[in-house]
Amino acid sequence: MERSSAVGVALIGAGRMGLFHGETVSRRLPDARLVAVADPLGGGKELEPDRFYTDAAQVCDDPQVDAVVIAAPARLHTDLVVAAARAGKHVFCEKPMALSLADADRAIAAARDAGVVLQVGFQRRFAPDWAAARALLDAGQVGTPRLLRSLTRDPGGFDPARVPPDTIFFETLIHDFDVLRFLNPGATAVEVYASADALVEPGWRDRGLRDTAAVMVCFDNGAVGFAEACFATSYGHDVRAEVFGSAGAATVGDARRTAMTYSGPAGRTVATMHSDQELFGGAYVAELAAFTAAVRTGTPAPVTGEDARAALAIALAAAESASTGRPVRVTA
């Protein structure tokens, strides 16, 4: 690919998140072009790509595809990353990149051996307030991190029959585990203690559903992080984080739709956001802009496969801890 040309991107998986990424490539990134969509159910034709496929393997064989955006179900991610990398395609993969450390290593090795960019979708790093907090840390204004917190409260409306075991750790809290690492730069998680239950849908508890969880993560620099998640909240999509250090603290996240507060007979109210795409729309665009820039310039991805592996290691330990009721050491 000539560095001056637009990056030819193929979308694999045209579900809700995939469609948003496809729209970003085709309508929001001037240096990228959506050349293909692959979806076995026929989704994504409304994006009007140059070509439509039902098999992801066809994307790997397409010479016009420079890079792929993988937004298929999580269980397929590793094999898709490996296949795309071996075909010489740069890869952006939605989280989680893998569901086991062995698969994470397989994906990382495939990208390294092929010499392609591999970036993983931890979009919170690209949200302005999260990025600003990290800049304060890098400048030394927060000092040495001591206590950290990250939380995700989803807006609800999920079907418990469609939630695989430990989804709350691998697909929800994995964002928070990455945030704890992002706001404690250079530190490594060493031990995890987690508690989880079915509090939103208690009738599904015996079938393995965990829809509410709290996790304590101990790091090798002595800092302690706390992550929590719940699949349903009545007031919107609530995502926040905080880092408290030896020189100060930074708090990020605000679910308010605008800065306007309405005061009336019933009291004072604030309109809140009710979806991740509403709350993080700009961050989703920024992460793909960073990915295509890395492809065009040959620079490293800002969020790597190693970052994904580290967050996954915490998620695996948390799932085990919640099952056993005991602290679990994080596997390196």
Side-chain angles (χ1 to χ4, degrees):
M1 184 189 69
E2 295 182 5
R3 295 300 182 198
S4 61
S5 63
V7 178
V9 178
L11 172 67
I12 301 176
R16 178 176 171 274
M17 195 68 248
L19 288 174
F20 188 92
H21 286 325
E23 289 176 357
T24 294
V25 172
S26 63
R27 300 168 190 169
R28 304 180 185 113
L29 299 181
D31 294 329
R33 182 167 62 95
L34 187 66
V35 298
V37 171
D39 187 89
L41 300 179
K45 292 181 179 177
E46 64 268 40
L47 297 173
E48 299 180 343
D50 296 349
R51 288 174 292 288
F52 183 84
Y53 302 123
T54 57
D55 186 346
Q58 294 171 287
V59 166
C60 295
D61 294 334
D62 190 330
Q64 298 302 310
V65 173
D66 303 307
V68 301
V69 172
I70 297 172
R75 67 183 184 278
L76 305 176
H77 285 182
T78 300
D79 287 342
L80 290 171
V81 170
V82 171
R86 288 177 175 171
K89 316 299 185 185
H90 302 281
V91 181
F92 177 94
C93 183
E94 262 303 330
K95 54 76 194 170
M97 182 184 70
L99 296 175
S100 72
L101 294 183
D103 274 352
D105 290 337
R106 190 159 58 92
I108 292 167
R112 181 186 62 242
D113 293 346
V116 299
V117 173
L118 171 59
Q119 182 173 326
V120 180
F122 288 132
Q123 87 285 348
R124 294 182 198 181
R125 294 182 178 224
F126 297 87
D129 41 355
W130 270 259
R134 176 57 186 263
L136 287 176
L137 281 158
D138 291 341
Q141 292 180 259
V142 179
T144 303
R146 294 172 175 171
L147 295 170
L148 305 104
R149 183 186 183 206
S150 182
L151 67 85
T152 301
R153 297 172 185 167
D154 288 335
F158 68 99
D159 179 358
R162 296 175 60 86
V163 180
D166 294 326
T167 292
I168 197 164
F169 299 113
F170 297 139
E171 299 193 43
T172 302
L173 277 163
I174 199 161
H175 276 298
D176 299 282
F177 300 148
D178 181 67
V179 166
L180 295 180
R181 295 186 63 251
F182 182 60
L183 296 181
N184 192 14
T188 299
V190 294
E191 189 171 74
V192 170
Y193 177 72
S195 178
D197 203 347
L199 302 182
V200 180
E201 294 284 352
W204 286 79
R205 180 180 293 114
D206 293 341
R207 281 171 276 190
L209 177 68
R210 293 168 174 169
D211 54 39
T212 306
V215 184
M216 181 173 72
V217 182
C218 299
F219 290 88
D220 62 355
N221 66 345
V224 179
F226 300 89
E228 65 171 78
C230 184
F231 284 170
T233 180
S234 62
Y235 56 86
H237 191 54
D238 188 1
V239 179
R240 288 173 276 146
E242 181 181 47
V243 52
F244 166 73
S246 58
T251 302
V252 302
D254 189 341
R256 291 182 296 177
R257 181 172 286 124
T258 72
M260 186 273 290
T261 300
Y262 169 69
S263 299
R268 185 167 293 169
T269 61
V270 175
T272 56
M273 299 185 189
H274 285 261
S275 76
D276 58 335
Q277 292 176 9
E278 185 180 18
L279 186 60
F280 287 114
Y284 284 130
V285 174
E287 66 178 353
L288 281 182
F291 170 66
T292 55
V295 172
R296 287 172 56 81
T297 61
T299 54
V303 188
T304 65
E306 287 79 7
D307 289 320
R309 188 191 191 279
L312 175 63
I314 300 173
L316 288 163
E320 181 181 347
S321 176
S323 295
T324 62
R326 298 191 301 270
V328 173
R329 298 292 291 182
V330 178
T331 300

